[in-house]
Amino acid sequence: MPCCVVYMIITVIICGGLAIGLGAAYNSINDEVQKVVAQEVALTPDGETIDKFANSPVPVHMTFYLFNLTNADEFLNNGSKPIVKEIGPFYYNENKTKFDL
């Protein structure tokens, strides 16, 4: 057998062994990571995540502008161009709190 074929066979065997070893290591590490995440995210009464779930740390802030149609009769009856007036801004803040958990 030529020597380059021998080197190719040895290289394939080494790469295959590395691929199998890395796959097995990934599976075992992935299982451990899944267990830790499941423990940290679980909503238990004494857990750390229940407070963040009950009292959302991200408040909702919204700003609205409304428009008043000042010539409604002419627009509806005569088909004239609408004239609108901007009203606002209206601010809306929402803090969500969950009860009876």
Side-chain angles (χ1 to χ4, degrees):
M1 232 190 308
C3 74
C4 62
V5 173
V6 174
Y7 288 137
M8 190 182 309
I9 292 172
I10 292 172
T11 304
V12 168
I13 291 172
I14 290 173
C15 288
L18 282 173
I20 291 171
L22 288 174
Y26 172 77
N27 282 337
S28 64
I29 290 172
N30 189 30
D31 291 341
E32 292 300 317
V33 168
Q34 292 293 331
K35 288 177 188 176
V36 170
V37 168
Q39 289 173 353
E40 293 293 323
V41 178
L43 292 175
T44 58
D46 58 344
E48 294 179 18
T49 56
I50 193 74
D51 292 332
K52 292 180 183 175
F53 179 73
N55 301 314
S56 178
V58 180
V60 177
H61 301 291
M62 293 184 198
T63 304
F64 295 99
Y65 291 90
L66 299 177
F67 295 91
N68 185 23
L69 182 62
T70 57
N71 63 341
D73 291 334
E74 293 85 11
F75 174 70
L76 293 174
N77 297 329
N78 301 335
S80 63
K81 187 176 178 179
I83 300 172
V84 294
K85 180 181 178 186
E86 183 178 303
I87 302 172
F90 297 99
Y91 298 102
Y92 178 73
N93 295 325
E94 180 180 4
N95 295 319
K96 296 181 180 182
T97 303
K98 296 175 183 72
F99 297 99
D100 297 330
L101 299 175

